[in-house]
Amino acid sequence: MSKLTLDDLRKLRDEKKKEMSQRDSDVKKSGVITIGMGTCGIAAGAKVAFDAFLDEMEKAGITDISIKQTGCMGLCFSEPTVEVATDNMPHVVYGNVD
């Protein structure tokens, strides 16, 4: 394995900062997507779904929606579960998301 240079570390830091900005809860966003990432959710594919949401939001240039993870949502039979909450709309929970 090769050694990382200072420039490599800076590049890695900038990439991770960009990834984490979508998950920043300090900034007011118009909506939140919450993915259940308890052990049941992860076993059912929630990590893959979480990564897919991040990728698609980046491709579409969506920056006013934050994405976060939570523990078990109590709906183990329908994992992975995704809750979508936007301003002025009712919250919706989707199950069996792939």
Side-chain angles (χ1 to χ4, degrees):
M1 185 171 154
S2 64
K3 293 183 180 181
L4 292 174
T5 66
L6 185 55
D7 287 334
D8 293 336
L9 290 172
R10 286 184 178 139
K11 182 179 176 186
L12 182 61
R13 179 193 62 198
D14 292 341
E15 288 172 5
K16 294 302 173 186
K17 274 187 176 181
K18 183 178 176 187
E19 286 178 22
M20 293 304 293
S21 69
Q22 196 68 33
R23 300 173 68 180
D24 188 8
S25 61
D26 294 338
V27 179
K28 174 64 176 147
K29 306 272 183 158
S30 64
V32 177
I33 296 172
T34 305
I35 300 178
M37 299 272 288
T39 54
C40 53
I42 293 170
K47 176 68 174 128
V48 174
F50 188 89
D51 292 340
F53 270 95
L54 285 174
D55 291 342
E56 292 301 318
M57 290 171 68
E58 183 179 340
K59 285 179 192 174
I62 298 171
T63 59
D64 62 336
I65 303 290
S66 64
I67 186 166
K68 64 180 186 174
Q69 64 188 53
T70 189
C72 182
M73 297 172 88
L75 302 167
C76 300
F77 65 92
S78 65
E79 291 290 352
T81 52
V82 176
E83 179 183 14
V84 179
T86 59
D87 292 343
N88 304 319
M89 295 293 291
H91 296 199
V92 180
V93 177
Y94 297 95
N96 300 311
V97 176
D98 60 8

Coordinates of all heavy atoms in Angstrom, one line a residue:
M1 N 0.8 -1.2 0.0 CA 0.0 0.0 0.0 C 0.9 1.2 0.0 O 1.8 1.3 0.8 CB -0.9 0.0 1.2 CG -1.9 1.1 1.3 SD -3.0 0.8 2.6 CE -3.5 2.5 2.9
S2 N 0.6 2.2 -0.9 CA 1.4 3.4 -1.0 C 1.0 4.4 0.2 O -0.1 4.3 0.7 CB 1.2 4.0 -2.3 OG -0.1 4.5 -2.5
K3 N 1.9 5.2 0.4 CA 1.7 6.3 1.5 C 0.9 7.4 0.9 O 1.0 7.7 -0.3 CB 3.1 6.8 1.9 CG 3.9 5.8 2.7 CD 5.2 6.5 3.2 CE 6.0 5.5 4.0 NZ 7.2 6.1 4.5
L4 N 0.1 8.0 1.7 CA -0.7 9.1 1.3 C 0.1 10.4 1.5 O 0.7 10.6 2.5 CB -2.0 9.2 2.1 CG -3.0 8.1 1.9 CD1 -4.2 8.3 2.9 CD2 -3.6 8.2 0.5
T5 N 0.0 11.3 0.5 CA 0.7 12.6 0.6 C -0.3 13.6 1.2 O -1.5 13.3 1.4 CB 1.1 13.1 -0.8 OG1 -0.1 13.3 -1.5 CG2 2.0 12.1 -1.5
L6 N 0.2 14.7 1.6 CA -0.6 15.8 2.1 C -1.7 16.2 1.2 O -2.9 16.4 1.5 CB 0.2 17.0 2.5 CG -0.5 18.1 3.2 CD1 -1.2 17.6 4.5 CD2 0.5 19.2 3.6
D7 N -1.4 16.2 -0.1 CA -2.4 16.6 -1.1 C -3.5 15.5 -1.2 O -4.7 15.8 -1.4 CB -1.7 16.8 -2.5 CG -1.0 18.1 -2.6 OD1 -1.3 19.0 -1.8 OD2 0.0 18.1 -3.4
D8 N -3.1 14.2 -1.1 CA -4.0 13.1 -1.1 C -5.0 13.3 0.1 O -6.2 13.1 -0.1 CB -3.4 11.8 -1.0 CG -2.5 11.4 -2.3 OD1 -2.8 12.0 -3.4 OD2 -1.6 10.6 -2.2
L9 N -4.5 13.6 1.2 CA -5.3 13.7 2.4 C -6.3 14.9 2.3 O -7.4 14.8 2.7 CB -4.4 13.9 3.7 CG -3.7 12.7 4.1 CD1 -2.7 13.0 5.2 CD2 -4.6 11.6 4.5
R10 N -5.8 16.0 1.7 CA -6.7 17.2 1.5 C -7.8 16.8 0.5 O -8.9 17.2 0.7 CB -5.8 18.4 1.0 CG -5.0 19.0 2.0 CD -4.3 20.2 1.5 NE -3.5 20.8 2.6 CZ -2.3 21.3 2.5 NH1 -1.7 21.3 1.3 NH2 -1.7 21.8 3.5
K11 N -7.5 16.1 -0.6 CA -8.5 15.7 -1.5 C -9.5 14.8 -0.9 O -10.7 15.0 -1.1 CB -7.8 15.0 -2.7 CG -8.7 14.6 -3.8 CD -8.0 13.9 -4.9 CE -9.0 13.5 -6.0 NZ -8.4 12.7 -7.0
L12 N -9.1 13.9 -0.1 CA -10.0 13.0 0.6 C -10.9 13.7 1.6 O -12.1 13.5 1.6 CB -9.2 11.9 1.4 CG -9.9 10.8 2.1 CD1 -10.8 10.0 1.2 CD2 -9.0 9.9 2.9
R13 N -10.3 14.7 2.3 CA -11.1 15.5 3.2 C -12.2 16.3 2.5 O -13.3 16.3 2.9 CB -10.2 16.5 4.0 CG -10.9 17.4 4.9 CD -10.1 18.6 5.4 NE -9.7 19.4 4.3 CZ -8.7 20.3 4.3 NH1 -8.0 20.4 5.4 NH2 -8.4 21.0 3.2
D14 N -11.8 16.9 1.4 CA -12.8 17.7 0.6 C -13.9 16.8 0.0 O -15.1 17.2 0.0 CB -12.1 18.4 -0.6 CG -11.1 19.5 -0.1 OD1 -11.3 20.0 1.1 OD2 -10.2 19.9 -0.8
E15 N -13.6 15.6 -0.4 CA -14.6 14.7 -0.9 C -15.5 14.3 0.2 O -16.8 14.3 0.0 CB -13.9 13.4 -1.5 CG -13.2 13.6 -2.8 CD -12.4 12.4 -3.2 OE1 -12.5 11.3 -2.5 OE2 -11.7 12.5 -4.2
K16 N -15.0 14.0 1.4 CA -15.9 13.6 2.5 C -16.7 14.8 3.0 O -17.9 14.6 3.4 CB -15.0 13.0 3.6 CG -14.4 11.7 3.3 CD -15.4 10.7 2.8 CE -14.7 9.4 2.3 NZ -15.7 8.5 1.7
K17 N -16.2 16.0 3.0 CA -16.9 17.2 3.4 C -18.1 17.3 2.4 O -19.2 17.7 2.9 CB -16.1 18.4 3.3 CG -15.3 18.7 4.6 CD -14.6 20.0 4.5 CE -13.9 20.4 5.7 NZ -13.3 21.7 5.7
K18 N -17.9 17.1 1.2 CA -19.0 17.3 0.2 C -20.1 16.2 0.4 O -21.3 16.5 0.4 CB -18.4 17.1 -1.2 CG -19.4 17.3 -2.3 CD -18.8 17.2 -3.7 CE -19.9 17.3 -4.8 NZ -19.4 17.0 -6.1
E19 N -19.6 15.0 0.7 CA -20.6 13.9 1.0 C -21.4 14.2 2.3 O -22.6 14.0 2.3 CB -19.9 12.6 1.2 CG -19.4 12.0 -0.1 CD -18.6 10.7 0.2 OE1 -18.8 10.0 1.3 OE2 -17.8 10.3 -0.6
M20 N -20.8 14.7 3.3 CA -21.4 15.0 4.5 C -22.3 16.2 4.5 O -23.2 16.4 5.3 CB -20.4 15.2 5.7 CG -19.6 13.9 6.0 SD -20.7 12.5 6.4 CE -21.4 13.0 7.9
S21 N -22.1 17.1 3.5 CA -22.9 18.4 3.5 C -24.4 18.0 3.2 O -25.3 18.7 3.7 CB -22.4 19.3 2.4 OG -22.6 18.8 1.1
Q22 N -24.6 16.9 2.5 CA -26.0 16.5 2.3 C -26.7 16.0 3.6 O -27.9 16.0 3.7 CB -26.1 15.4 1.2 CG -27.4 15.2 0.6 CD -27.9 16.4 -0.2 OE1 -27.1 17.1 -0.8 NE2 -29.2 16.6 -0.2
R23 N -25.8 15.6 4.5 CA -26.4 15.0 5.8 C -26.3 16.1 6.9 O -26.7 15.8 8.0 CB -25.5 13.8 6.1 CG -25.6 12.7 5.1 CD -24.6 11.6 5.4 NE -25.1 10.9 6.6 CZ -24.4 9.9 7.1 NH1 -23.3 9.4 6.5 NH2 -24.9 9.2 8.1
D24 N -26.0 17.3 6.6 CA -25.9 18.4 7.6 C -27.2 18.8 8.1 O -28.1 19.2 7.3 CB -25.1 19.6 7.0 CG -24.8 20.6 8.1 OD1 -25.0 20.3 9.3 OD2 -24.3 21.7 7.7
S25 N -27.5 18.6 9.4 CA -28.8 19.0 9.9 C -28.8 20.4 10.5 O -29.9 20.9 10.9 CB -29.2 18.0 11.0 OG -28.3 18.0 12.0
D26 N -27.7 21.1 10.5 CA -27.7 22.5 11.0 C -28.3 23.5 10.1 O -28.7 24.5 10.5 CB -26.2 22.9 11.4 CG -25.7 22.0 12.5 OD1 -26.5 21.5 13.3 OD2 -24.4 22.0 12.6
V27 N -28.3 23.1 8.8 CA -28.8 24.1 7.8 C -30.2 23.8 7.5 O -30.6 22.6 7.4 CB -27.9 23.9 6.4 CG1 -28.5 24.8 5.4 CG2 -26.5 24.1 6.7
K28 N -31.0 24.8 7.4 CA -32.5 24.6 7.2 C -32.7 24.1 5.8 O -32.2 24.7 4.8 CB -33.2 26.0 7.4 CG -34.7 25.9 7.0 CD -35.5 25.0 7.9 CE -36.9 25.1 7.5 NZ -37.6 23.9 7.7
K29 N -33.3 23.0 5.7 CA -33.6 22.3 4.4 C -35.1 22.3 4.2 O -35.9 22.4 5.2 CB -33.0 20.9 4.4 CG -31.6 20.8 4.7 CD -30.7 21.0 3.4 CE -29.3 20.8 3.8 NZ -28.5 20.5 2.7
S30 N -35.6 22.1 3.0 CA -37.1 22.0 2.8 C -37.6 20.6 3.0 O -38.8 20.5 3.0 CB -37.4 22.5 1.4 OG -36.8 21.6 0.4
G31 N -36.8 19.7 3.3 CA -37.2 18.3 3.5 C -36.1 17.4 4.1 O -35.0 17.8 4.0
V32 N -36.6 16.3 4.6 CA -35.6 15.3 5.1 C -36.0 13.9 4.7 O -37.2 13.6 4.7 CB -35.6 15.4 6.7 CG1 -34.7 14.3 7.3 CG2 -35.3 16.7 7.2
I33 N -35.1 13.1 4.3 CA -35.2 11.7 4.0 C -34.5 11.0 5.1 O -33.3 11.2 5.3 CB -34.7 11.4 2.6 CG1 -35.4 12.1 1.5 CG2 -34.7 9.8 2.4 CD1 -34.8 11.9 0.1
T34 N -35.3 10.1 5.8 CA -34.7 9.3 6.9 C -34.8 7.9 6.5 O -35.9 7.4 6.2 CB -35.5 9.6 8.2 OG1 -35.5 11.0 8.4 CG2 -34.8 8.9 9.4
I35 N -33.7 7.2 6.6 CA -33.6 5.8 6.3 C -33.3 5.0 7.5 O -32.4 5.3 8.3 CB -32.5 5.5 5.2 CG1 -32.9 6.3 3.9 CG2 -32.4 4.0 4.9 CD1 -31.9 6.2 2.8
G36 N -34.2 4.0 7.8 CA -34.0 3.1 8.9 C -32.8 2.2 8.8 O -32.7 1.4 7.8
M37 N -31.8 2.4 9.6 CA -30.5 1.7 9.5 C -30.2 0.9 10.8 O -29.1 0.8 11.2 CB -29.4 2.6 9.2 CG -29.5 3.4 8.0 SD -28.9 2.7 6.5 CE -27.1 2.8 6.8
G38 N -31.3 0.3 11.4 CA -31.1 -0.7 12.4 C -30.5 -2.0 11.8 O -30.3 -2.1 10.6
T39 N -30.2 -2.9 12.6 CA -29.6 -4.2 12.1 C -30.5 -4.8 11.1 O -30.0 -5.4 10.1 CB -29.2 -5.2 13.2 OG1 -30.3 -5.4 14.0 CG2 -28.1 -4.6 14.0
C40 N -31.8 -4.8 11.4 CA -32.8 -5.4 10.4 C -32.8 -4.7 9.1 O -32.8 -5.3 8.0 CB -34.2 -5.4 11.0 SG -34.8 -3.8 11.6
G41 N -32.7 -3.3 9.1 CA -32.6 -2.5 7.9 C -31.4 -2.8 7.1 O -31.4 -2.9 5.9
I42 N -30.2 -2.8 7.8 CA -29.0 -3.0 7.1 C -28.9 -4.4 6.5 O -28.5 -4.5 5.3 CB -27.8 -2.8 8.1 CG1 -27.7 -1.3 8.5 CG2 -26.5 -3.3 7.5 CD1 -26.7 -1.1 9.6
A43 N -29.4 -5.4 7.2 CA -29.5 -6.7 6.6 C -30.4 -6.8 5.4 O -30.1 -7.6 4.5 CB -30.0 -7.7 7.7
A44 N -31.4 -6.0 5.3 CA -32.3 -6.0 4.2 C -31.9 -5.1 3.1 O -32.5 -5.1 2.0 CB -33.7 -5.5 4.7
G45 N -30.8 -4.4 3.2 CA -30.2 -3.6 2.1 C -30.3 -2.1 2.3 O -30.2 -1.3 1.3
A46 N -30.5 -1.6 3.5 CA -30.7 -0.1 3.8 C -29.4 0.6 3.4 O -29.5 1.8 3.0 CB -31.1 0.1 5.2
K47 N -28.3 0.1 3.6 CA -27.0 0.8 3.3 C -26.9 1.0 1.8 O -26.5 2.1 1.4 CB -25.8 0.0 3.8 CG -24.5 0.5 3.5 CD -24.2 1.8 4.2 CE -22.8 2.3 4.0 NZ -22.7 3.7 3.5
V48 N -27.3 0.0 1.0 CA -27.3 0.2 -0.4 C -28.3 1.2 -0.8 O -28.0 2.1 -1.7 CB -27.6 -1.2 -1.1 CG1 -27.7 -1.0 -2.6 CG2 -26.5 -2.2 -0.8
A49 N -29.5 1.2 -0.2 CA -30.5 2.2 -0.5 C -30.0 3.6 -0.1 O -30.2 4.6 -0.9 CB -31.8 1.9 0.2
F50 N -29.4 3.7 1.0 CA -28.8 5.0 1.5 C -27.8 5.6 0.5 O -27.9 6.8 0.1 CB -28.2 4.8 2.9 CG -27.8 6.1 3.6 CD1 -28.7 6.8 4.4 CD2 -26.5 6.6 3.4 CE1 -28.3 8.0 5.0 CE2 -26.1 7.8 4.0 CZ -27.0 8.5 4.8
D51 N -26.9 4.8 0.1 CA -25.9 5.2 -0.9 C -26.5 5.6 -2.2 O -26.1 6.5 -2.9 CB -24.8 4.1 -1.1 CG -24.0 3.9 0.1 OD1 -23.9 4.8 1.0 OD2 -23.4 2.8 0.2
A52 N -27.6 4.8 -2.6 CA -28.3 5.1 -3.9 C -29.0 6.5 -3.8 O -28.9 7.3 -4.7 CB -29.3 4.1 -4.2
F53 N -29.6 6.8 -2.6 CA -30.2 8.1 -2.5 C -29.2 9.2 -2.6 O -29.4 10.2 -3.2 CB -30.9 8.2 -1.1 CG -32.3 7.8 -1.1 CD1 -32.7 6.5 -0.8 CD2 -33.3 8.6 -1.5 CE1 -34.0 6.1 -0.8 CE2 -34.7 8.3 -1.5 CZ -35.0 6.9 -1.2
L54 N -28.0 9.0 -1.9 CA -27.0 10.1 -2.0 C -26.5 10.3 -3.4 O -26.3 11.4 -3.9 CB -25.8 9.7 -1.1 CG -26.0 9.8 0.4 CD1 -24.8 9.3 1.2 CD2 -26.2 11.3 0.8
D55 N -26.3 9.2 -4.1 CA -25.8 9.3 -5.5 C -26.8 10.0 -6.4 O -26.4 10.8 -7.2 CB -25.5 7.9 -6.1 CG -24.3 7.2 -5.4 OD1 -23.5 7.9 -4.8 OD2 -24.1 6.0 -5.5
E56 N -28.1 9.6 -6.3 CA -29.1 10.1 -7.2 C -29.3 11.6 -6.9 O -29.6 12.4 -7.8 CB -30.4 9.3 -7.1 CG -30.3 8.0 -7.7 CD -29.9 8.0 -9.2 OE1 -30.4 8.8 -9.9 OE2 -29.1 7.1 -9.5
M57 N -29.3 12.0 -5.6 CA -29.5 13.4 -5.2 C -28.3 14.2 -5.7 O -28.5 15.3 -6.2 CB -29.6 13.5 -3.7 CG -30.9 12.9 -3.2 SD -31.1 12.8 -1.4 CE -31.1 14.5 -1.0
E58 N -27.1 13.7 -5.7 CA -25.9 14.4 -6.2 C -26.1 14.6 -7.7 O -25.8 15.6 -8.3 CB -24.6 13.7 -5.9 CG -23.4 14.4 -6.3 CD -22.1 13.7 -6.0 OE1 -22.1 12.8 -5.1 OE2 -21.1 14.0 -6.6
K59 N -26.4 13.5 -8.4 CA -26.6 13.6 -9.9 C -27.6 14.6 -10.3 O -27.5 15.3 -11.3 CB -27.0 12.2 -10.4 CG -25.9 11.2 -10.5 CD -26.5 9.9 -11.1 CE -25.5 8.7 -10.9 NZ -26.1 7.4 -11.3
A60 N -28.7 14.7 -9.5 CA -29.8 15.6 -9.8 C -29.6 17.0 -9.3 O -30.3 17.9 -9.6 CB -31.1 15.0 -9.3
G61 N -28.5 17.2 -8.5 CA -28.2 18.5 -8.0 C -29.1 18.9 -6.9 O -29.3 20.1 -6.7
I62 N -29.7 18.0 -6.2 CA -30.6 18.3 -5.1 C -29.8 18.6 -3.8 O -29.1 17.8 -3.3 CB -31.6 17.1 -4.8 CG1 -32.4 16.9 -6.1 CG2 -32.5 17.4 -3.6 CD1 -33.3 15.6 -6.0
T63 N -30.0 19.9 -3.4 CA -29.2 20.3 -2.2 C -30.1 20.8 -1.1 O -29.6 21.0 0.0 CB -28.2 21.4 -2.5 OG1 -28.9 22.5 -3.1 CG2 -27.2 20.9 -3.5
D64 N -31.4 20.9 -1.3 CA -32.3 21.5 -0.3 C -33.0 20.4 0.5 O -33.9 20.7 1.3 CB -33.3 22.4 -0.9 CG -34.2 21.7 -2.0 OD1 -33.8 20.7 -2.5 OD2 -35.3 22.2 -2.2
I65 N -32.6 19.2 0.3 CA -33.2 18.0 1.0 C -32.0 17.4 1.7 O -31.0 17.1 1.1 CB -33.8 17.0 0.1 CG1 -34.9 17.6 -0.8 CG2 -34.4 15.8 0.9 CD1 -36.2 18.0 0.0
S66 N -32.1 17.1 3.0 CA -31.1 16.5 3.8 C -31.5 15.0 3.9 O -32.6 14.6 3.8 CB -30.8 17.1 5.1 OG -31.9 17.0 6.0
I67 N -30.5 14.2 4.1 CA -30.7 12.7 4.2 C -30.0 12.3 5.5 O -28.9 12.8 5.8 CB -30.1 11.9 3.0 CG1 -30.5 10.5 3.1 CG2 -28.7 12.2 2.8 CD1 -30.3 9.7 1.8
K68 N -30.7 11.5 6.3 CA -30.1 11.0 7.5 C -30.5 9.6 7.8 O -31.4 9.1 7.1 CB -30.4 11.9 8.7 CG -31.9 12.0 9.0 CD -32.2 12.9 10.2 CE -33.6 12.9 10.6 NZ -33.8 13.7 11.8
Q69 N -29.9 9.0 8.8 CA -30.2 7.6 9.1 C -30.7 7.6 10.5 O -30.4 8.5 11.3 CB -29.0 6.7 8.9 CG -27.8 7.1 9.8 CD -26.6 6.3 9.5 OE1 -26.1 6.3 8.4 NE2 -26.0 5.6 10.5
T70 N -31.4 6.6 10.8 CA -31.9 6.4 12.2 C -31.9 4.9 12.5 O -31.6 4.1 11.6 CB -33.4 6.9 12.3 OG1 -33.8 6.9 13.7 CG2 -34.4 6.1 11.5
G71 N -32.1 4.5 13.7 CA -32.2 3.1 14.1 C -33.4 2.5 13.6 O -34.1 3.0 12.7
C72 N -33.8 1.4 14.2 CA -34.9 0.6 13.8 C -36.2 1.5 13.9 O -36.4 2.1 14.9 CB -35.1 -0.6 14.6 SG -36.5 -1.7 14.1
M73 N -37.0 1.5 12.9 CA -38.3 2.2 12.9 C -39.4 1.4 13.3 O -40.6 1.8 13.3 CB -38.5 2.8 11.5 CG -37.5 3.7 11.0 SD -37.6 4.2 9.3 CE -38.7 5.6 9.4
G74 N -39.2 0.1 13.7 CA -40.2 -0.8 14.2 C -41.0 -1.4 13.1 O -42.1 -2.0 13.4
L75 N -40.6 -1.3 11.9 CA -41.3 -1.9 10.8 C -40.4 -3.0 10.1 O -40.2 -3.0 8.9 CB -41.7 -0.9 9.8 CG -42.5 0.3 10.3 CD1 -42.6 1.4 9.3 CD2 -43.9 -0.3 10.6
C76 N -39.8 -3.9 10.9 CA -38.9 -4.8 10.4 C -39.4 -5.7 9.3 O -38.6 -6.1 8.4 CB -38.4 -5.8 11.6 SG -37.7 -4.9 13.0
F77 N -40.7 -5.9 9.2 CA -41.2 -6.8 8.2 C -41.2 -6.1 6.8 O -41.3 -6.7 5.8 CB -42.7 -7.1 8.5 CG -43.6 -5.9 8.5 CD1 -44.3 -5.5 7.3 CD2 -43.8 -5.2 9.7 CE1 -45.1 -4.4 7.3 CE2 -44.6 -4.1 9.7 CZ -45.3 -3.7 8.5
S78 N -41.0 -4.8 6.8 CA -40.9 -4.0 5.5 C -39.6 -3.3 5.3 O -39.6 -2.3 4.6 CB -42.1 -3.1 5.4 OG -42.0 -2.1 6.4
E79 N -38.6 -3.8 5.9 CA -37.3 -3.1 5.7 C -36.8 -3.4 4.3 O -37.1 -4.4 3.7 CB -36.2 -3.7 6.7 CG -36.5 -3.2 8.1 CD -36.3 -1.8 8.4 OE1 -35.8 -1.1 7.5 OE2 -36.6 -1.3 9.5
P80 N -36.0 -2.5 3.7 CA -35.6 -1.2 4.2 C -36.8 -0.2 4.2 O -37.5 -0.2 3.2 CB -34.5 -0.7 3.3 CG -34.1 -1.8 2.4 CD -35.2 -2.8 2.5
T81 N -36.8 0.7 5.2 CA -37.9 1.7 5.2 C -37.3 3.1 5.1 O -36.2 3.4 5.5 CB -38.7 1.6 6.6 OG1 -37.7 1.7 7.7 CG2 -39.5 0.4 6.7
V82 N -38.0 3.9 4.4 CA -37.6 5.3 4.1 C -38.7 6.2 4.4 O -39.9 6.1 3.9 CB -37.2 5.5 2.6 CG1 -36.8 6.9 2.3 CG2 -36.0 4.5 2.3
E83 N -38.5 7.2 5.3 CA -39.5 8.3 5.6 C -39.1 9.5 4.9 O -37.9 10.0 4.9 CB -39.5 8.6 7.1 CG -40.5 9.6 7.5 CD -40.5 10.0 8.9 OE1 -39.6 9.6 9.6 OE2 -41.5 10.7 9.4
V84 N -40.1 10.1 4.2 CA -39.9 11.4 3.5 C -40.7 12.4 4.1 O -42.0 12.3 4.2 CB -40.3 11.2 2.0 CG1 -40.1 12.5 1.2 CG2 -39.4 10.1 1.3
A85 N -40.1 13.5 4.6 CA -40.8 14.6 5.2 C -40.4 15.9 4.5 O -39.2 16.2 4.5 CB -40.4 14.7 6.7
T86 N -41.4 16.6 4.0 CA -41.2 17.8 3.3 C -42.1 18.9 3.9 O -43.1 18.6 4.5 CB -41.4 17.8 1.8 OG1 -42.8 17.3 1.6 CG2 -40.5 16.8 1.1
D87 N -41.8 20.1 3.7 CA -42.6 21.2 4.2 C -44.0 21.2 3.6 O -44.1 20.9 2.4 CB -41.9 22.6 3.9 CG -40.6 22.8 4.7 OD1 -40.4 22.1 5.7 OD2 -39.8 23.7 4.3
N88 N -44.9 21.4 4.4 CA -46.3 21.5 4.0 C -46.9 20.3 3.4 O -47.9 20.4 2.6 CB -46.5 22.7 3.0 CG -46.0 24.0 3.6 OD1 -46.3 24.3 4.8 ND2 -45.3 24.8 2.8
M89 N -46.3 19.1 3.7 CA -46.8 17.9 3.2 C -46.8 16.9 4.3 O -45.9 17.0 5.2 CB -46.0 17.3 2.0 CG -46.0 18.2 0.7 SD -47.6 18.2 -0.1 CE -47.7 16.6 -0.7
P90 N -47.7 15.9 4.3 CA -47.6 14.9 5.3 C -46.4 14.0 5.2 O -45.9 13.8 4.1 CB -48.9 14.0 5.1 CG -49.5 14.4 3.8 CD -48.8 15.7 3.4
H91 N -45.9 13.4 6.3 CA -44.8 12.5 6.2 C -45.3 11.2 5.7 O -46.3 10.7 6.0 CB -44.2 12.3 7.6 CG -43.6 13.6 8.2 ND1 -42.8 13.5 9.3 CD2 -43.8 14.9 7.9 CE1 -42.4 14.7 9.6 NE2 -43.1 15.6 8.8
V92 N -44.4 10.6 4.8 CA -44.8 9.3 4.2 C -43.6 8.3 4.5 O -42.5 8.7 4.4 CB -44.9 9.5 2.7 CG1 -45.3 8.1 2.0 CG2 -46.0 10.5 2.4
V93 N -44.0 7.1 4.9 CA -43.0 6.1 5.1 C -43.2 5.0 4.0 O -44.3 4.5 3.8 CB -43.2 5.4 6.5 CG1 -42.2 4.3 6.7 CG2 -43.0 6.5 7.6
Y94 N -42.1 4.7 3.3 CA -42.1 3.7 2.3 C -41.4 2.5 2.8 O -40.4 2.6 3.5 CB -41.4 4.2 1.0 CG -42.1 5.4 0.4 CD1 -41.7 6.7 0.7 CD2 -43.1 5.2 -0.5 CE1 -42.3 7.8 0.1 CE2 -43.7 6.3 -1.1 CZ -43.3 7.6 -0.8 OH -43.9 8.7 -1.4
G95 N -41.9 1.3 2.5 CA -41.3 0.1 2.9 C -40.8 -0.7 1.7 O -41.2 -0.5 0.5
N96 N -40.0 -1.7 2.0 CA -39.4 -2.6 1.0 C -38.7 -1.8 -0.1 O -38.9 -2.1 -1.3 CB -40.5 -3.5 0.4 CG -41.1 -4.4 1.4 OD1 -40.3 -5.0 2.2 ND2 -42.4 -4.5 1.5
V97 N -38.0 -0.8 0.2 CA -37.3 0.1 -0.7 C -36.0 -0.6 -1.2 O -35.2 -1.1 -0.5 CB -37.0 1.4 -0.1 CG1 -36.2 2.3 -1.0 CG2 -38.2 2.1 0.4
D98 N -35.9 -0.6 -2.6 CA -34.7 -1.2 -3.1 C -34.2 -0.4 -4.3 O -34.8 0.6 -4.7 CB -34.9 -2.7 -3.6 CG -35.9 -2.8 -4.6 OD1 -36.4 -1.8 -5.1 OD2 -36.3 -4.0 -4.9

